[in-house]
């Protein structure tokens, strides 16, 4: 069965489900590095990562400048993309994430089916696009400040229990990328999960690209994730290093566990 056919076959099931997702959020600036420029409106771009890499290497010891052309600015992050994708299919969602604080950044214009609760300033991702791939460079200074103490100051544990208790699927994303997310997941496990009703729900945890995390950190995380299964069947997703497929993988796993 084709992936699209699978969605159609499960349309009624999808529309009957409620999903809650947390806690990341990024603003994505899609960038094309300029190779040559003729005038104000005419230029050529580096077409491959190899070409761009050669240019960077050629500047060692001499320095240099590369013009960047920003082709678009959009919302990003595993959580907002995942939530918006399911919301576009009619799923009722709540996305708790880093979408601007105290006011939501207007770039996070998610589908109206998705209720958004913003708890932090977002990160910023600079997405360098080429014909053979992408290089994503992220500024996580502001989003990395988000700690459990900040989260429950902006959305109380009682309120969090109420929101996530409605969910048929609880989705936690992007563990690998942000330094305080391990503690947030751990405190969520200890303070929220035990207070949820015993309804038939599932938990999906996406650790994303864990290439920059140490082996011991990953082992500790896996043990902690396993403890979620005490409260609900728990599914784990991860992304191969340097391959930005986590959003599609999240959507596929969600369809499978529905």
């Amino acid at each position: 069965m084709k992936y699209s056919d699978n969605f159609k076959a499960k349309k009624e099931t999808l529309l009957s489900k409620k999903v809650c997702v947390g806690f990341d959020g990024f603003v994505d600036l899609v960038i094309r590095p300029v190779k040559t420029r003729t005038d104000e409106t005419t230029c050529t771009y580096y077409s491959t990562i190899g070409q761009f890499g050669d240019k960077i290497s050629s500047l060692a010891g001499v320095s240099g400048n590369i013009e960047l052309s920003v082709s678009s600015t959009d919302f990003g992050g595993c959580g907002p993309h995942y939530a918006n994708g399911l919301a576009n299919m009619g799923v009722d969602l709540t996305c708790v994430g880093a979408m601007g604080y105290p006011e939501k950044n207007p770039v996070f214009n998610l589908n109206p089916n998705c209720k958004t609760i913003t708890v932090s300033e977002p990160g910023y991702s600079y997405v360098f696009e080429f014909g053979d791939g992408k290089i994503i460079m992220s500024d996580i200074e502001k989003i990395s400040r988000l700690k459990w103490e900040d989260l429950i100051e902006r959305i109380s544990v009682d309120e969090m229990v109420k929101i996530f208790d409605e969910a048929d699927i609880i989705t936690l994303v992007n563990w690998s990328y942000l330094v305080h997310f391990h503690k947030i997941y751990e405190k969520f496990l200890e303070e929220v999960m035990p207070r949820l009703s015993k309804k038939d729900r599932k938990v999906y945890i996406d650790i994303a690209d864990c290439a920059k995390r140490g082996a011991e950190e990953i082992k500790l995380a896996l043990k902690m994730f396993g403890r979620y299964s005490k409260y609900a069947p728990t599914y784990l997703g991860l992304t191969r290093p340097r391959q930005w497929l986590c959003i599609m993988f999240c959507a596929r796993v969600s369809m499978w566990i529905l």
Side-chain angles (χ1 to χ4, degrees):
M1 180 182 288
K2 292 181 180 179
Y3 187 45
S4 58
D5 292 337
N6 192 25
F7 274 114
K8 292 176 183 177
K10 291 192 174 184
K11 183 176 179 179
E12 290 187 9
T13 302
L14 279 169
L15 295 179
S16 70
K17 299 298 182 180
K18 170 78 175 178
V19 179
C20 290
V21 56
F23 294 100
D24 76 339
F26 282 79
V27 175
D28 288 350
L29 291 85
V30 179
I31 293 167
R32 300 187 70 186
V34 175
K35 186 177 183 180
T36 62
R37 177 169 294 281
T38 306
D39 55 39
E40 184 179 351
T41 59
T42 307
C43 65
T44 63
Y45 303 101
Y46 289 95
S47 59
T48 68
I49 292 175
Q51 284 183 1
F52 187 59
D54 289 342
K55 175 61 177 178
I56 296 293
S57 296
S58 73
L59 298 177
V62 296
S63 301
N65 174 268
I66 298 174
E67 178 190 346
L68 303 178
S69 174
V70 179
S71 60
S72 67
T73 302
D74 203 351
F75 66 82
C78 296
H81 270 301
Y82 164 85
N84 194 61
L86 290 180
N88 285 339
M89 293 181 284
V91 179
D92 184 14
L93 286 108
T94 299
C95 181
V96 182
M99 294 172 281
Y101 189 82
E103 300 296 329
K104 185 173 73 172
N105 188 315
V107 76
F108 289 92
N109 56 337
L110 277 63
N111 184 292
N113 287 332
C114 182
K115 178 184 178 183
T116 57
I117 300 173
T118 184
V119 294
S120 168
E121 283 296 301
Y124 284 80
S125 289
Y126 304 93
V127 185
F128 289 70
E129 282 199 333
F130 304 91
D132 59 348
K134 297 179 181 179
I135 299 173
I136 305 171
M137 300 182 182
S138 297
D139 174 1
I140 64 169
E141 179 188 359
K142 292 181 179 179
I143 189 175
S144 67
R145 297 174 189 166
L146 179 65
K147 300 179 181 179
W148 174 255
E149 293 78 10
D150 302 312
L151 184 59
I152 62 173
E153 180 182 305
R154 295 161 189 177
I155 172 174
S156 69
V157 173
D158 288 344
E159 187 177 359
M160 209 178 305
V161 169
K162 181 179 179 181
I163 292 168
F164 282 87
D165 192 54
E166 298 176 352
D168 298 288
I169 297 178
I170 293 172
T171 302
L172 304 177
V173 298
N174 219 351
W175 168 85
S176 297
Y177 215 69
L178 299 163
V179 293
H180 297 301
F181 269 30
H182 183 96
K183 183 66 174 293
I184 288 175
Y185 283 29
E186 195 168 50
K187 297 298 286 186
F188 187 91
L189 169 65
E190 294 171 354
E191 299 191 24
V192 177
M193 293 299 297
R195 294 179 56 187
L196 300 182
S197 63
K198 305 303 181 184
K199 70 181 288 186
D200 181 19
R201 66 166 56 83
K202 298 176 177 67
V203 174
Y204 174 50
I205 297 175
D206 170 44
I207 71 172
D209 181 354
C210 56
K212 72 176 185 178
R213 304 301 287 267
E216 290 305 314
E217 289 180 292
I218 295 171
K219 288 178 183 178
L220 288 173
L222 292 175
K223 289 180 180 179
M224 185 256 290
F225 299 154
R227 290 162 51 205
Y228 273 84
S229 62
K230 176 181 178 181
Y231 304 103
T234 300
Y235 301 80
L236 182 66
L238 56 154
T239 307
R240 282 192 291 170
R242 299 177 298 279
Q243 190 169 5
W244 201 50
L245 296 176
C246 57
I247 307 307
M248 180 60 73
F249 189 80
C250 284
R252 287 178 182 270
V253 172
S254 295
M255 280 301 301
W256 177 54
I257 64 180
L258 282 172

